[in-house]
Amino acid sequence: MAAQTTEGIRLSALCPKFLHTNSTSHTWPFSAVAELIDNAYDPDVGAKQIWIDQTVVNGQLSLTFTDNGNGMTLDKLHKMLSFGFSDKVAVQGHVPVGLYGNGFKSGSMRLGKDAIVLTKNDSAMHVGMLSQTFLEAVNAEQVIVPIISFNKKRQVVNTPSSDVNLQAILGHSLLNSEKDLLAELDAIIGKKGTRIIIWNLRRDKNGKSEFDFTTDKYDIRIPEEFDGSFRKGYKKQERMEHVAPDSDYSLRVYCSILYLKPRMQIVLRGQKVQTQLVSKNLAHIEKDVYRPKSISHKAVKITFGYNCRNKEHYGIMMYHKNRLIKAYVKVGCQLKANNMGVGVVGVIECNYLKPTHNKQDFDYTNDYRLTLAAVGEKLNDYWNEMKLQKNTLSSVPVEDEQKRPDQNWAQCDSCLKWRKLPDAMGKLPSKWYCHMNPDPQFRDCNVPEEPEDDDEITHSTYEKTHKKRKSEQLSQVFRNNTILFNPPSKEMQQALNTVQANYRPAQSSNPSTLVAAETSAQPSTPPDRRKRLLSLDPSPVPAKKPPVTVTETIELPDEDDEEADDGDVIIIEDVSTPKPKSEKAKPVNGSAISTVPMESLDGETSGMPDTGGIAAVGTQTEMQGIVVKKEEDDSYSDFQGHTEMPSEHLFINCNGTVTNNHPNLSSENEKEYYKKRCEELSTKLRHLAETSGQQVKAEMSHQQVQTNPSREDLKYNEALKEVCRLKLMCKKLKELKSESSSVVDSTSEIDEMAIQLDDVFRKFDSCSEERDQYKSEIEQLKLEKKQLEAEKKQLTTELQQLKDATETKASTSVHGHERSKLRTLRIHVAQLLTTLMPELDLEQVDYDVDVIDEILVQVLEQAEKQANGHE
């Protein structure tokens, strides 16, 4: 691991100031503590317990981290004190949290300026130091880490540099002698483990410690006042709400939720942290799934429930590889200032996302943004469903109810397995073990944990009746054409009466006039009060009566804003606000257009005005004007004159359906009418094409406008000439291309054949290499098979020997057990005989022989003789 040069190429230097620079990635002190906890939790260490404490060493306030893991070798310790070395792999499903090989350096240097690491394993003990104070004292230009080793006889291992390293550690650390070093190594419980001591802890400008050790003697807290500002100003950087969760300023609470499924006990200042299964410690639990695009084949489980401890702490708990990254992230309806989503906690393990270096956030990628959006939608569904189910059964809102977790889980202090307990268990003791489990199936530490029934969940575990009901209501409204209108208000009724008094209906004198209606959009529609327009059939139908201006609202339910009084509104207008008669339309694109006055409100208006003719859609905003196409061909109006269909009997209802009230006009007559009209239109078009060559164009847009035919003819003829010229040029180009391609084809075919042959040879070479590789693998497998067979024979022999030895021991133990039982029986019989024979001395009796048996036989014979004599 020593730095070496290679052929004169200089190595990159690491300035000692980088230790402080690297630590600034932790803006929150508890994230630095979590880095040290992760190192003990990862599978390469595999600690069952870690002890975190505050102590005073040589007069200096210090933090200590001690675990009972596997310890480290000299090489591993050097890598730990170096940068970027991370070779952690998963072990038996235990996925490591460490990614970058930087956690110890950034975390320890964030908490204090100096740290010493003491570790031991089965072979030796090692001590290393990472100290900014030491580097400043010796004016080091690069980061240097003194390391020494002790052998099993507790003596320093002599190496060429051991004396220099020992003097550096003793001279610049809190441990000033070998005795002190050995004493701290003895503080590691068991034969293996690691102990970290951090001193010169960070302080504020007033010299106060960054942590509060006095408010709670079993906790480490962020002080109430820090740098002159209250704690609410010293939170995690993304925390914006006024009520900060306890985990932001209490290390004990933060450690209790640090892992999604804890596998290690954390003892903070002498008292065990009551870790919890966050996804199991909720009320009204339901589960949903999300399928990210990056891993579309796999569903990610999301657990929703209510916080049973404090409803003010709610949001999404986002984990990565079992480790908490972001806590209480507000999504969906929780982002609105309307008390929606209060108390709801969601839990998701986002292993497909990438955390930042301080493991307190995720990289702001598209997958992360999509995840927040999707989880927000699913949280809205859960919130609406819970309100619908619970609020119908109780007058108290579901978020204000006193809640208990749906399930009770306990962790065994011996094997660290989690066991599900019945609800009637009550309060558990401070130390709980598997043999205390009421369930006999899981009463042994050797029994695996109870499998979860939702590990392979592929869909939501609850039916979203709220969402389904609303979609059914909307579909039913438009399927049955049933629209319930709000009754008009007094102001609206007065306005309708005023318009009715001032305007009179007018008949359209030109039967060839086609009326086009324009729908104008609402400008800057507010997001919380969206207005949707309901379009009716815009097909032109000849009308005798003009349309009526009517505005009605339809209340539509809104998923996101239930409690608001102003829900979604549909505005239906038969036409837009009419323009005055005197106003003239401006020409558009050189075509002649004119405005048509739209009078309305014929007859009395009670609640719903009478409608007739064409129903157009619009809002009450000002429109550009309703235009009429002015036909230039008089023959077309003559054609319209004798084929006009009586329109006073056709009405378009408010739901968009057309009603035919003509008593004598049946569906067959109507069919014949339209058929006849189509034939006449076709004949007229053919006649126009033969005589004048004019082309009839119909433009379907917001405004139907017909341009000047004479100008259109000129443009059309010019376009035809241009098309012919382009066709000729294209034909010539194709001929030139075919001639050149025939010359190139011969050479290109040869090149392609050469390329194909080259590919074939390459594939043949690769196949040959693969064949040789497979042959070597087969030979290796054969050798391994022979070795396994030999080992199998050896193991079979050893097993048979063990069986024979076990049977021998069993027979011996059975014989010995019978002899002990016989001896005990003789002792009891001797005690009974003393009642008949007081002179019998039990201390002189040898119970291993048949003396008591003979005495008992004699007593029985004498008793039998006496019985016969009495008879």
Side-chain angles (χ1 to χ4, degrees):
M1 293 300 299
Q4 297 178 356
T5 57
T6 304
E7 297 180 356
I9 300 176
R10 302 181 67 179
L11 297 177
S12 175
L14 188 63
C15 179
K17 293 181 180 179
F18 179 74
L19 294 176
H20 172 72
T21 303
N22 186 45
S23 68
T24 57
S25 62
H26 296 286
T27 57
W28 184 49
F30 288 168
S31 67
V33 176
E35 292 282 7
L36 303 181
I37 299 175
D38 291 339
N39 286 342
Y41 167 82
D42 280 345
D44 59 334
V45 176
K48 295 297 182 68
Q49 285 89 20
I50 182 172
W51 292 265
I52 305 173
D53 207 346
Q54 167 263 336
T55 185
V56 177
V57 180
N58 200 9
Q60 288 232 22
L61 184 66
S62 306
L63 281 176
T64 61
F65 298 82
T66 309
D67 66 68
N68 58 358
N70 297 325
M72 289 180 284
T73 62
L74 181 62
D75 185 59
K76 284 187 176 180
L77 177 60
H78 189 198
K79 288 182 177 180
M80 177 185 176
L81 298 175
S82 303
F83 291 85
F85 292 93
S86 179
D87 52 359
K88 299 179 180 181
V89 294
V91 177
Q92 296 180 354
H94 184 178
V95 181
V97 177
L99 294 173
Y100 306 109
N102 191 44
F104 170 75
K105 279 75 66 177
S106 63
S108 60
M109 295 297 102
R110 169 63 179 80
L111 298 175
K113 293 187 67 175
D114 309 292
I116 189 169
V117 182
L118 305 101
T119 182
K120 62 181 182 180
N121 52 27
D122 294 332
S123 60
M125 299 181 292
H126 312 283
V127 180
M129 186 175 69
L130 183 65
S131 172
Q132 298 182 56
T133 305
F134 162 66
L135 297 175
E136 293 172 0
V138 299
N139 295 322
E141 296 181 356
Q142 297 191 34
V143 176
I144 53 177
V145 285
I147 300 175
I148 60 171
S149 300
F150 291 89
N151 55 25
K152 291 185 177 181
K153 296 181 179 180
R154 303 169 65 86
Q155 297 174 350
V156 177
V157 177
N158 290 323
T159 61
S161 59
S162 59
D163 293 337
V164 178
N165 286 274
L166 180 60
Q167 292 302 322
I169 293 174
L170 297 180
H172 297 88
S173 71
L174 300 179
L175 309 176
N176 305 127
S177 64
E178 294 184 25
K179 183 179 179 181
D180 294 338
L181 292 175
L182 293 173
E184 292 298 333
L185 286 168
D186 292 337
I188 300 173
I189 301 174
K191 297 181 179 180
K192 296 185 292 184
T194 302
R195 181 173 174 83
I196 301 171
I197 303 174
I198 302 174
W199 70 98
N200 280 333
L201 302 180
R202 179 175 292 192
R203 297 177 180 272
D204 63 5
K205 59 185 178 182
N206 298 323
K208 294 182 180 180
S209 174
E210 183 180 28
F211 294 116
D212 177 12
F213 299 105
T214 57
T215 301
D216 188 348
K217 63 179 181 179
Y218 297 113
D219 196 5
I220 298 177
R221 304 169 67 88
I222 292 176
E224 294 288 339
E225 189 174 338
F226 187 83
D227 283 342
S229 59
F230 290 101
R231 185 177 59 210
K232 67 180 182 180
Y234 184 70
K235 306 172 188 172
K236 296 184 68 177
Q237 59 187 23
E238 75 277 4
R239 194 74 68 200
M240 299 301 295
E241 64 270 15
H242 296 292
V243 181
D246 298 339
S247 58
D248 277 11
Y249 53 85
S250 171
L251 183 59
R252 179 171 293 276
V253 178
Y254 178 63
C255 290
S256 68
I257 61 174
L258 184 58
Y259 299 105
L260 181 61
K261 195 166 189 179
R263 295 295 184 188
M264 178 179 66
Q265 283 186 351
I266 302 174
V267 182
L268 181 59
R269 301 189 71 181
Q271 190 177 77
K272 184 181 71 172
V273 174
Q274 294 295 334
T275 54
Q276 53 180 303
L277 293 174
V278 181
S279 59
K280 306 288 186 183
N281 201 30
L282 303 172
H284 309 314
I285 293 176
E286 296 293 349
K287 297 178 178 63
D288 212 328
V289 294
Y290 167 57
R291 290 179 173 83
K293 292 183 179 180
S294 55
I295 52 169
S296 57
H297 64 283
K298 186 177 181 181
V300 179
K301 180 177 66 176
I302 309 172
T303 304
F304 292 110
Y306 281 85
N307 193 338
C308 299
R309 299 185 179 184
N310 190 343
K311 74 170 187 176
E312 298 297 331
H313 302 160
Y314 56 92
I316 304 299
M317 312 292 288
M318 304 183 72
Y319 288 82
H320 179 268
K321 295 181 180 178
N322 201 42
R323 160 74 141 78
L324 178 65
I325 303 298
K326 299 191 73 175
Y328 303 110
V329 181
K330 303 296 186 292
V331 296
C333 60
Q334 294 176 342
L335 295 172
K336 300 180 180 180
N338 52 8
N339 291 329
M340 294 182 67
V342 173
V344 178
V345 175
V347 182
I348 181 173
E349 189 174 14
C350 310
N351 293 338
Y352 57 93
L353 298 179
K354 189 175 182 180
T356 56
H357 276 251
N358 61 3
K359 298 186 181 70
Q360 296 300 307
D361 203 346
F362 290 100
D363 288 347
Y364 196 70
T365 60
N366 188 45
D367 286 339
Y368 175 67
R369 294 190 293 271
L370 292 175
T371 300
L372 290 184
V375 175
E377 290 293 333
K378 296 181 184 299
L379 184 139
N380 294 346
D381 294 340
Y382 173 81
W383 168 258
N384 293 327
E385 187 65 24
M386 288 299 106
K387 287 194 65 178
L388 180 66
Q389 292 181 4
K390 305 298 179 182
N391 290 354
T392 55
L393 303 176
S394 174
S395 59
V396 180
V398 62
E399 61 269 19
D400 294 334
E401 292 179 355
Q402 292 292 334
K403 291 176 281 291
R404 295 180 57 189
D406 293 350
Q407 300 174 349
N408 291 328
W409 291 76
Q411 187 179 27
C412 176
D413 286 315
S414 177
C415 64
L416 302 182
K417 292 185 176 69
W418 287 90
R419 305 297 186 188
K420 185 179 179 181
L421 303 179
D423 296 336
M425 282 294 292
K427 187 176 181 180
L428 298 177
S430 58
K431 289 190 176 183
W432 188 90
Y433 300 95
C434 287
H435 64 79
M436 300 179 181
N437 194 348
D439 189 354
Q441 184 180 358
F442 299 98
R443 198 174 287 170
D444 190 356
C445 290
N446 296 323
V447 178
E449 288 182 346
E450 181 179 357
E452 298 186 22
D453 54 355
D454 57 354
D455 284 338
E456 299 298 331
I457 182 173
T458 57
H459 59 279
S460 175
T461 58
Y462 67 103
E463 184 178 2
K464 301 176 182 178
T465 55
H466 176 84
K467 196 172 184 179
K468 186 178 179 181
R469 180 181 300 180
K470 289 195 171 184
S471 62
E472 289 178 353
Q473 288 176 354
L474 288 175
S475 61
Q476 185 177 2
V477 166
F478 296 105
R479 187 187 307 115
N480 299 334
N481 295 322
T482 303
I483 301 178
L484 299 178
F485 291 93
N486 289 336
S489 60
K490 292 182 180 180
E491 292 80 2
M492 183 178 180
Q493 187 66 42
Q494 292 176 0
L496 291 174
N497 294 335
T498 304
V499 175
Q500 178 184 0
N502 295 333
Y503 291 90
R504 294 286 81 182
Q507 299 288 342
S508 178
S509 59
N510 189 1
S512 63
T513 301
L514 299 177
V515 180
E518 179 184 23
T519 303
S520 60
Q522 277 281 19
S524 64
T525 306
D528 57 342
R529 189 180 175 89
R530 294 179 298 273
K531 298 180 185 289
R532 304 187 182 100
L533 301 179
L534 178 62
S535 299
L536 303 179
D537 187 7
S539 60
V541 179
K544 181 178 180 180
K545 295 183 179 181
V548 183
T549 304
V550 178
T551 303
E552 294 293 344
T553 60
I554 303 174
E555 296 287 346
L556 288 181
D558 193 355
E559 294 178 7
D560 300 332
D561 203 2
E562 295 181 344
E563 299 176 355
D565 295 332
D566 49 347
D568 286 353
V569 177
I570 292 180
I571 295 181
I572 300 180
E573 295 187 2
D574 286 27
V575 294
S576 61
T577 306
K579 292 284 184 179
K581 293 182 179 181
S582 60
E583 185 177 352
K584 296 182 179 181
K586 297 179 181 180
V588 180
N589 295 333
S591 60
I593 59 175
S594 61
T595 59
V596 178
M598 306 297 292
E599 288 86 354
S600 59
L601 297 176
D602 181 19
E604 295 295 326
T605 307
S606 57
M608 186 68 192
D610 184 21
T611 61
I614 303 172
V617 182
T619 63
Q620 288 288 21
T621 56
E622 185 177 356
M623 302 175 59
Q624 296 179 0
I626 300 175
V627 299
V628 177
K629 294 174 64 175
K630 195 170 184 179
E631 300 294 339
E632 299 293 337
D633 193 355
D634 296 333
S635 60
Y636 183 75
S637 45
D638 294 338
F639 161 74
Q640 284 274 12
H642 71 271
T643 59
E644 181 180 358
M645 184 176 177
S647 60
E648 60 270 20
H649 303 290
L650 287 177
F651 299 97
I652 293 182
N653 300 329
C654 62
N655 55 10
T657 59
V658 179
T659 305
N660 183 6
N661 294 330
H662 196 284
N664 299 324
L665 189 60
S666 62
S667 60
E668 295 180 357
N669 295 334
E670 188 176 356
K671 183 177 180 181
E672 292 178 358
Y673 162 74
Y674 283 117
K675 185 176 180 182
K676 184 178 179 181
R677 185 175 177 182
C678 290
E679 292 176 355
E680 292 178 353
L681 283 172
S682 301
T683 305
K684 186 65 179 176
L685 288 174
R686 284 196 298 270
H687 176 69
L688 290 173
E690 292 174 357
T691 57
S692 61
Q694 295 180 356
Q695 300 295 326
V696 180
K697 293 185 178 182
E699 298 176 357
M700 299 301 296
S701 62
H702 294 293
Q703 296 181 344
Q704 297 181 356
V705 179
Q706 183 176 3
T707 58
N708 193 343
S710 60
R711 294 184 180 181
E712 196 68 21
D713 291 340
L714 295 175
K715 293 181 180 180
Y716 181 73
N717 293 332
E718 291 176 359
L720 287 177
K721 293 179 181 179
E722 185 69 17
V723 169
C724 294
R725 187 176 65 82
L726 292 174
K727 284 183 178 180
L728 291 174
M729 291 177 63
C730 184
K731 185 176 180 181
K732 291 181 180 179
L733 289 173
K734 286 183 179 179
E735 292 175 356
L736 292 173
K737 183 179 179 182
S738 60
E739 292 175 359
S740 60
S741 60
S742 61
V743 177
V744 177
D745 284 342
S746 58
T747 57
S748 61
E749 288 178 358
I750 295 173
D751 294 337
E752 289 178 359
M753 291 177 64
I755 293 171
Q756 292 177 0
L757 286 174
D758 187 35
D759 291 339
V760 169
F761 285 126
R762 289 182 179 179
K763 290 179 181 179
F764 179 77
D765 294 337
S766 62
C767 291
S768 301
E769 292 177 358
E770 290 179 359
R771 182 196 60 188
D772 297 337
Q773 183 179 358
Y774 290 148
K775 283 184 178 181
S776 62
E777 290 178 357
I778 290 171
E779 292 175 357
Q780 186 176 0
L781 289 174
K782 287 181 179 179
L783 293 174
E784 291 178 357
K785 183 179 178 182
K786 291 180 180 179
Q787 293 177 358
L788 290 174
E789 288 177 354
E791 291 177 0
K792 180 181 177 182
K793 291 180 181 179
Q794 184 178 358
L795 291 173
T796 304
T797 306
E798 292 177 359
L799 180 63
Q800 186 63 34
Q801 292 175 358
L802 289 173
K803 284 183 178 180
D804 297 338
T806 303
E807 291 176 357
T808 305
K809 289 181 180 179
S811 60
T812 305
S813 61
V814 169
H815 184 65
H817 184 63
E818 291 177 353
R819 289 181 63 84
S820 62
K821 288 176 65 177
L822 180 60
R823 179 181 174 84
T824 304
L825 181 61
R826 285 173 177 171
I827 292 172
H828 293 163
V829 171
Q831 291 176 354
L832 290 174
L833 290 176
T834 54
T835 59
L836 300 175
M837 301 172 63
E839 67 276 5
L840 182 62
D841 189 1
L842 298 179
E843 294 180 356
Q844 297 180 359
V845 176
D846 187 3
Y847 297 100
D848 294 329
V849 297
D850 301 337
V851 175
I852 295 298
D853 298 346
E854 293 175 356
I855 295 173
L856 180 60
V857 171
Q858 293 176 5
V859 170
L860 292 175
E861 290 177 352
Q862 185 177 1
E864 186 177 1
K865 288 179 182 180
Q866 290 178 0
N868 293 332
H870 288 299
E871 290 177 358

